Amino acid sequence: MPKEEADANRPAARPDESAAPHDGNASQGVQGVQGGDEPHRGNGSHTENASRSGNGSHGGHGAHARKRGVGGAWADFKDSPFLPAVVLVFILAAAAGLFAGSYTYSMANPTPHHIPTALVASPGSAEAKEFVAGMDKALNTSLEVRPYATVPAARQAMEEQSVFAILDVRPDGVRMDVAGAAGASVAQVLAETAPQVAKAAGVPVTITDAKPLQQGDPRGLALFYVSLAAVVLGFVGSIQLSVHARTLNPLERIAFTVAYSLLGGFTIAAVVDWGLGAVRLPFVESWLILAFTMFTSGMVFTMFNTLIGRWAMLPTWGLMVLLGNPSSGGAVSWPLLPSLLGHVGRWLPPGASVNAQHTAVYFADAQHAFPFLVLAGWSLLSCAVFWFWRHRHPGGRDRPAPAHGAAPAS
C-alpha cells in the first residue's frame, strides 16, 4: 500500500499521544517506584536521600561540635602555633626575672667568704695573730691563712693563683701584697680594709699591688666580656645552624661548629687586642681559648637540641648564662661570690674560659690544665650525646633512596 494511503487510513492521534514516549518513561518510572524497580528507585530517592543526609549531616556536625566542646577547642589550640607562642611569653618573662636575679644575687653586694692568704711571719708572732684577727673581724669572714717560710715562696703561690694576698709581718709593720690581676674586687676589699685594721692595732701597713691589671682594663672586666661573647655567640651560632642549615649531617654540623668557632675566636681577640688595644693578649693562646669556648658552648646547645628538641634553649640558657656567667669569677672574684656559686662556677664552661684566659694574660708561667679539662669534658660529653642519639636530632638529611628497579649491589 502506498505510504500516503497508509497514513490516511491511520486513526487520528489523540492530542496527548505525541507525549507518549515521555509519558511512557514517566509511567515506567512510577511503576518502577511502585513495583520495586531498584535502579529507578535508587535514582528517584537519590535527591531525597541526599537532602536528608545533608540535613542529617548538618545536625550530626552540630552534635559532634557540641560533644567536642572544650576538649575539641583545646585540641585545636594544641595544633596551632599559638600554644608554643603563649608558652614562650611566660618562659621569656621568667627568664628575664631569673637573669636579673642571678646577676644581682652574685654581683650586687659581693661579700668576702674565705680568702686564701699567704702569711710570712716568725712562729707565734703576736703581731701576725692580732692583725689577722682584726682583718677577720673587719671583713666579717675569715682569711684562709697559709704559712710560708719566705716571701719568694709566697710570691710563687700568688703566681699560681693559690693565694690572693701576702701578709709579710715584720717588727716594723705589715707589708701586704695584693694581686689585682688575680681578682680586682678581692684586691680592692683587702686594700680598703687593711689600713683600718692597722690603725686600730697601732701598726703601720704598706700595700702593694704585686700583679696589677693592664692599663686598658683597670677593672679587670675585659676578659670577662670577651669570654661572655664567646659563650653567647657559641650557642647562638649553633642555633643559627639549626635554623638556616638544618639539613647538615652530624659530621658536617660539628665541622661547621669548629669553623665558626675558630673564625669567631680570632675576630674577638683581634678586635680587643689589635683593634681597641684594651688588653695585650698572648694572641694565639687567647684565640684558641676563645675558639674552644665557642665550640663547647655550641655543642652544649646541640646536645640539648638532640635530647629535647625545640626547647633546647631553656637548659642552654640556664646552664651557660643564668648559672655559668655570674659564677665564672670574671666580674666578681670567686672568694666574694656566694660559696656554692664560687665552687660550681669553676666546673662550668664560662668559668673555665675566664680562668684559662685570665691565666694566659696575667700568669703565663703558671697556666693550669684544669680549665682546659673542664672545656674538653663538656665538649666530649656534648659530642658523644649528639653522636649517639643523632637520629633524634631535628636536623640532618636522609640518604637518597635507590631508584626503582635498580639492581641491588652485589
Side-chain angles (χ1 to χ4, degrees), residues 250-298:
L251 282 178
E252 296 167 345
R253 187 173 298 275
I254 293 174
F256 275 95
T257 304
V258 171
Y260 78 65
S261 298
L262 286 171
L263 186 58
F266 179 88
T267 305
I268 294 172
V271 168
V272 171
D273 190 345
W274 302 343
L276 301 176
V279 182
R280 295 186 305 275
L281 301 174
F283 193 85
V284 174
E285 185 177 3
S286 290
W287 167 27
L288 295 179
I289 291 170
L290 291 169
F292 202 177
T293 303
M294 289 186 69
F295 176 78
T296 302
S297 182

Side-chain angles (χ1 to χ4, degrees), residues 170-217:
R170 302 181 181 184
D172 60 343
V174 178
R175 296 184 181 181
M176 173 183 280
D177 289 349
V178 296
S185 50
V186 174
Q188 180 180 355
V189 168
L190 292 174
E192 291 174 352
T193 306
Q196 303 172 14
V197 174
K199 183 178 180 180
V203 296
V205 62
T206 303
I207 302 173
T208 303
D209 192 345
K211 295 290 293 187
L213 292 163
Q214 294 186 19
Q215 187 175 0
D217 184 28

Side-chain angles (χ1 to χ4, degrees), residues 31-314:
Q31 289 175 358
V33 172
Q34 294 177 349
D37 188 347
E38 287 299 326
H40 288 279
R41 179 182 179 183
N43 292 339
S45 61
H46 176 73
T47 303
E48 182 180 357
N49 289 340
S51 176
R52 289 178 180 175
S53 65
N55 294 336
S57 173
H58 180 72
H61 282 305
H64 183 60
R66 286 193 298 272
K67 278 184 180 179
R68 289 182 60 179
V70 177
W74 171 246
D76 293 339
F77 181 67
K78 284 202 306 181
D79 294 336
S80 73
F82 298 109
L83 175 59
V86 169
V87 172
L88 281 174
V89 167
F90 288 100
I91 287 175
L92 291 173
L98 290 172
F99 181 77
S102 65
Y103 277 76
T104 302
Y105 174 67
S106 61
M107 299 180 186
N109 185 26
T111 304
H113 296 280
H114 296 280
I115 302 177
T117 305
L119 177 63
V120 181
S122 58
S125 169
E127 295 85 355
K129 290 181 179 178
E130 183 180 4
F131 190 82
V132 170
M135 291 291 290
D136 286 347
K137 183 177 180 181
L139 295 171
N140 194 26
T141 184
S142 61
L143 298 180
E144 190 178 309
V145 175
R146 302 177 183 179
Y148 289 87
T150 64
V151 172
R155 288 280 178 87
Q156 182 60 35
M158 179 179 281
E159 189 71 24
E160 295 174 354
Q161 301 181 74
S162 299
V163 297
F164 285 80
I166 300 172
L167 292 178
D168 182 11
V169 181
R170 302 181 181 184
D172 60 343
V174 178
R175 296 184 181 181
M176 173 183 280
D177 289 349
V178 296
S185 50
V186 174
Q188 180 180 355
V189 168
L190 292 174
E192 291 174 352
T193 306
Q196 303 172 14
V197 174
K199 183 178 180 180
V203 296
V205 62
T206 303
I207 302 173
T208 303
D209 192 345
K211 295 290 293 187
L213 292 163
Q214 294 186 19
Q215 187 175 0
D217 184 28
R219 301 295 299 170
L221 295 176
L223 298 184
F224 169 68
Y225 286 120
V226 300
S227 298
L228 175 62
V231 168
V232 173
L233 291 175
F235 65 73
V236 168
S238 184
I239 293 171
Q240 293 305 305
L241 282 182
S242 297
V243 173
H244 299 292
R246 186 181 182 87
T247 57
L248 288 175
N249 281 332
L251 282 178
E252 296 167 345
R253 187 173 298 275
I254 293 174
F256 275 95
T257 304
V258 171
Y260 78 65
S261 298
L262 286 171
L263 186 58
F266 179 88
T267 305
I268 294 172
V271 168
V272 171
D273 190 345
W274 302 343
L276 301 176
V279 182
R280 295 186 305 275
L281 301 174
F283 193 85
V284 174
E285 185 177 3
S286 290
W287 167 27
L288 295 179
I289 291 170
L290 291 169
F292 202 177
T293 303
M294 289 186 69
F295 176 78
T296 302
S297 182
M299 290 311 302
V300 165
F301 174 82
T302 303
M303 173 181 69
F304 287 128
N305 198 23
T306 302
L307 294 176
I308 60 175
R310 64 182 177 180
W311 301 109
M313 187 60 186
L314 295 180

Side-chain angles (χ1 to χ4, degrees), residues 372-384:
F372 296 96
L373 293 176
V374 171
L375 290 173
W378 280 99
S379 293
L380 289 174
L381 173 65
S382 301
C383 289

